Amino acid sequence: MEESNGQTTDRYAADGYEAMYRADWYGPGGMMEPGRPGPVDRGQQLKEARRHFSKLGIMFLVGTLVIYAVQLLVMGVVSILRPQWMRDGNISLLVSLMPMYLIGMPILILLVRTIPAEKPQRRPIKAGQFLAAVIMCFGFVYITNFLGNILTTIIGILKGGTVQNELVEMTGSISLWAIALYMVICAPVMEEYIFRKLIVDRVIRYGQGTAVLLSGLMFGLFHGNLNQFVYAFVLGVFLAYLYVKTGNLKITIAIHMMINFMGGLVSSALMRMVDLEYLRLSAEMDMAALMEYVSEHAAGLLAYGAFLVFVLGSMVAGVVIFIVCLAKKKIGFQKGSVALLQGERFRTVFWNPGMVFYCIFWIGMIVYQLLM
């Protein structure tokens, strides 16, 4: 690896992996220098890479099954011994999440940590860059959430019913403090460690682009439903990009917390202040009832309107900043210490038993959720 204009570049990228034979094992006259190892067997190198990705997929799949197993076991026991607890949204959520966070995810972490890792280089980020990253992240999450809702609505129409939005149903059945504890504190910390640090640290040797894409895909699939997959994939890609460029997990945790704070806690609080369905029905039936409702809920309606302005503003500003960054070529990926050439990436990263089974499992869960 060489340094050029402050950026790490792969000196093998331009000429293909054949350059490895010339640059590292042969001297200027084309003769192998004494004491140096022989040329790398490219086929063997790719097999080792496929085994690496396969093991990563297997460990995540096994960890996923452990999470489901401990959740079902604890929930089953509680349902038998204390069935009244499962009728309370807050307690049932706690019964579901405690075994996941205290048993399932720690086991998943231990499994994945058996795979060799390589940390991204730590780089500082300026305040202006952080602010731009936050705006872009909010903008693209809101855009893709909107697109995901359109997609699931279309699927619901085609199947002659509705597609359940599990996140909306969950947040509507629990208290705000439970949303704050789960969505704003616990989920960002654990998810960033598992899906950013654990994955990126074990994939970045094959290139930043590969690490970013895989982190986003595995994170999106892990949510298990189409509504969340669309925006979770984009959020995962964006946060993984920030992690590979800064090497600082605290940055991605902070932004993840902001996203969940606005999308989970604030939006839920506003929805409880304003009954939009009642407002729609009042508008259809009686103008006097509508005006009465508006006057009684003026503060909530103004707050909800301000939130919508924030959402729309984030979407526009995020797209504009992203286009500017692209135009100024501020967004790019560096090669890894092990170069995967065009035509090798897909079959090396995804076409292996571990990743295939991981993807099949979660795609199956998403399809099942759509058909429910």
Side-chain angles (χ1 to χ4, degrees):
M1 304 294 287
E2 295 177 344
E3 295 291 329
S4 175
N5 298 323
Q7 293 185 337
T8 304
T9 59
D10 186 348
R11 66 168 175 257
Y12 308 135
D15 300 324
Y17 66 81
E18 293 86 352
M20 291 188 293
Y21 296 94
R22 300 194 304 271
D24 284 351
W25 288 281
Y26 293 96
M31 300 297 292
M32 184 179 291
E33 296 183 4
R36 291 201 178 194
V40 171
D41 183 332
R42 184 61 176 177
Q44 181 62 31
Q45 189 179 55
L46 291 178
K47 286 181 181 179
E48 291 176 357
R50 290 183 74 244
R51 284 196 292 267
H52 182 86
F53 284 103
S54 183
K55 185 176 181 181
L56 183 64
I58 289 172
M59 293 306 178
F60 265 89
L61 178 58
V62 172
T64 297
L65 296 176
V66 170
I67 290 173
Y68 270 95
V70 295
Q71 281 184 308
L72 292 174
L73 177 61
V74 173
M75 292 174 67
V77 171
V78 173
S79 297
I80 295 173
L81 300 180
R82 293 288 188 274
Q84 66 274 17
W85 288 4
M86 302 306 294
R87 291 190 287 269
D88 184 300
N90 294 321
I91 297 178
S92 64
L93 178 67
L94 188 64
V95 171
S96 172
L97 296 182
M98 282 187 63
M100 179 175 72
Y101 285 125
L102 298 181
I103 302 174
M105 285 188 168
I107 291 176
L108 188 154
I109 291 171
L110 291 175
L111 291 171
V112 177
R113 282 174 62 90
T114 62
I115 303 173
E118 175 183 318
K119 296 181 181 179
Q121 183 179 347
R122 188 72 173 259
R123 297 181 181 89
I125 183 172
K126 297 179 181 178
Q129 294 173 323
F130 178 78
L131 179 60
V134 170
I135 295 173
M136 282 191 288
C137 195
F138 268 104
F140 281 103
V141 165
Y142 285 135
I143 290 172
T144 50
N145 184 38
F146 178 70
L147 295 176
N149 287 330
I150 292 178
L151 181 59
T152 52
T153 299
I154 294 173
I155 294 174
I157 293 173
L158 293 176
K159 79 170 190 176
T162 59
V163 176
Q164 296 180 351
N165 190 322
E166 296 183 358
L167 181 63
V168 172
E169 292 180 0
M170 183 195 72
T171 55
S173 64
I174 60 178
S175 63
L176 293 179
W177 70 261
I179 295 175
L181 177 63
Y182 165 56
M183 294 187 64
V184 183
I185 299 175
C186 295
V189 173
M190 292 298 291
E191 290 175 358
E192 287 308 302
Y193 184 83
I194 291 173
F195 290 97
R196 241 59 67 196
K197 183 171 179 58
L198 290 185
I199 293 178
V200 170
D201 286 6
R202 283 151 184 84
V203 180
I204 196 170
R205 71 180 66 177
Y206 301 100
Q208 292 182 349
T210 300
V212 167
L213 176 62
L214 192 63
S215 173
L217 180 62
M218 295 182 73
F219 177 62
L221 288 174
F222 189 82
H223 285 75
N225 63 84
L226 187 60
N227 298 83
Q228 291 179 272
F229 168 79
V230 179
Y231 74 80
F233 169 71
V234 172
L235 175 64
V237 165
F238 196 91
L239 294 178
Y241 180 80
L242 288 177
Y243 179 59
V244 301
K245 292 300 181 182
T246 66
N248 190 344
L249 197 67
K250 294 178 182 178
I251 292 174
T252 67
I253 291 174
I255 296 179
H256 198 152
M257 284 181 170
M258 294 179 194
I259 295 291
N260 285 11
F261 174 78
M262 294 300 296
L265 186 61
V266 173
S267 64
S268 295
L270 292 175
M271 291 297 290
R272 297 176 192 201
M273 293 175 63
V274 181
D275 189 340
L276 296 180
E277 181 63 19
Y278 179 82
L279 181 62
R280 184 184 66 81
L281 294 175
S282 298
E284 293 177 353
M285 293 185 297
D286 187 358
M287 180 58 68
L290 172 63
M291 297 305 297
E292 181 181 357
Y293 178 84
V294 170
S295 63
E296 292 177 354
H297 298 83
L301 290 171
L302 287 174
Y304 192 80
F307 178 75
L308 292 179
V309 171
F310 169 78
V311 170
L312 293 175
S314 298
M315 292 165 65
V316 174
V319 171
V320 171
I321 294 174
F322 181 73
I323 292 174
V324 171
C325 290
L326 285 179
K328 294 184 177 181
K329 299 181 179 180
K330 292 186 176 181
I331 298 177
F333 298 105
Q334 296 173 8
K335 300 290 184 179
S337 56
V338 180
L340 295 178
L341 305 180
Q342 188 175 3
E344 297 175 345
R345 293 187 183 93
F346 179 81
R347 67 173 180 266
T348 301
V349 178
F350 296 106
W351 198 243
N352 56 73
M355 285 299 170
V356 167
F357 287 130
Y358 179 85
C359 292
I360 288 176
F361 176 85
W362 282 114
I363 291 174
M365 295 294 291
I366 291 174
V367 172
Y368 173 75
Q369 183 263 340
L370 290 174
L371 298 176
M372 286 180 59

